[in-house]
Amino acid sequence: MGYFTSLSILVFAVGGCEKISPYVNKVDNPSKNFPKGIIAMAIMVLGCAMLGTVAMGMMYDPEVINASQESFNSYAANGGYWAFQRLGEYYHVGNLFLILYAMCNMISQFAILILSIDAPLRMLLDNEKTNEGIVIKSHAGQKYTSDALSIALFKMICERAGVPVQFFANRSDMNGGSTLGNIAMSQVSVNTVDIGLAQLAMHSSYETAGIKDAAYLIRAAEVFYNSHICETDAGVYEIEK
């Protein structure tokens, strides 16, 4: 039973590492370096836990710790502080080690609090596609209606509007979600581009999107409806106001 109790303590010690998932793309070469960081973290936590357990066992008498429930709770809550206090007394520096340990513990707890708040917010709001411009969607099987011509014309519209664009390509071996444009194209064949705004939780009761993207779409639509697209005799497309 004691073995499983110790194991559970180790599991809780590494608990929280899943919160760093939103920061994976911030790492250089994440597919290689992030797993290395996780493995290094697990080794460091395991090593520190083992060394800390041995050190505490050498400094305290287990019989004193387990003398009563009150004694056990006291050592569980304050054992680390008392250990650094003893070290300070041994090296004749007073409570210096105790104060340093308390300050480090305070900083680490504050950092954990910040991470606990920042990580979920990043997962919800800091999507790298949000607020980065209008999304042009394409599919090799024409599940999205965008083609080379319509994409080029829409890019010119966005350039005139000063609006950034980004691209999304659905896998050609998967149907994905069709659009109304795809259905309309089967009835009236016109040059069509499938566009949208990056968002999270599409079709859910609450969708999350970027405010800038909505403004980008308005500006692009204004330029589009105030422009005239024509094809010359040479087969060249021009956009005129």
Side-chain angles (χ1 to χ4, degrees):
M1 187 64 182
Y3 169 78
F4 291 105
T5 302
S6 301
L7 182 61
S8 65
I9 293 175
L10 181 60
V11 171
F12 279 108
V14 298
C17 64
E18 72 281 353
K19 294 179 182 178
I20 63 177
S21 58
Y23 308 96
V24 174
N25 292 332
K26 309 297 182 182
V27 179
D28 293 335
N29 192 7
S31 61
K32 183 178 180 180
N33 292 331
F34 186 75
K36 287 183 177 180
I38 292 294
I39 294 173
M41 179 195 65
I43 294 174
M44 290 173 62
V45 170
L46 179 61
C48 291
M50 293 176 62
L51 291 174
T53 301
V54 172
M56 296 289 281
M58 295 175 64
M59 297 186 71
Y60 297 124
D61 186 355
E63 294 184 359
V64 176
I65 296 175
N66 298 315
S68 65
Q69 186 63 40
E70 182 179 356
S71 176
F72 178 83
N73 292 336
S74 297
Y75 276 94
N78 304 307
Y81 294 95
W82 292 341
F84 280 94
Q85 188 178 39
R86 285 192 178 185
L87 286 175
E89 294 173 353
Y90 179 81
Y91 288 105
H92 306 290
V93 291
N95 291 327
L96 177 61
F97 290 157
L98 172 63
I99 296 172
L100 290 176
Y101 173 71
M103 292 179 62
C104 291
N105 196 27
M106 179 186 67
I107 294 172
S108 65
Q109 294 300 320
F110 186 67
I112 292 172
L113 176 62
I114 294 176
L115 188 63
S116 299
I117 297 173
D118 183 68
L121 288 178
R122 282 181 178 270
M123 286 188 284
L124 288 174
L125 304 176
D126 195 29
N127 187 283
E128 62 180 359
K129 298 295 184 181
T130 304
N131 286 327
E132 292 294 328
I134 301 173
V135 180
I136 299 176
K137 303 180 289 184
S138 60
H139 183 271
Q142 286 294 290
K143 290 298 180 182
Y144 294 133
T145 58
S146 307
D147 57 21
L149 176 59
S150 62
I151 291 174
L153 290 173
F154 185 72
K155 284 180 63 180
M156 292 176 64
I157 293 290
C158 289
E159 287 175 0
R160 293 192 176 193
V163 170
V165 296
Q166 50 187 331
F167 298 91
F168 170 77
N170 203 10
R171 286 179 51 172
S172 58
D173 59 343
M174 296 179 65
N175 289 330
S178 297
T179 62
L180 293 176
N182 177 271
I183 299 173
M185 282 281 288
S186 63
Q187 304 297 322
V188 180
S189 181
V190 294
N191 291 325
T192 309
V193 61
D194 259 312
I195 61 173
L197 303 182
Q199 59 186 278
L200 299 174
M202 185 177 181
H203 299 313
S204 69
S205 57
Y206 289 94
E207 297 179 355
T208 303
I211 297 176
K212 292 182 180 179
D213 287 336
Y216 289 150
L217 182 58
I218 292 173
R219 284 160 51 186
E222 288 177 346
V223 173
F224 174 76
Y225 285 112
N226 286 294
S227 299
H228 176 65
I229 302 175
C230 60
E231 182 181 4
T232 65
D233 294 336
V236 177
Y237 284 82
E238 295 180 348
I239 300 177
E240 302 174 352
K241 289 188 177 181

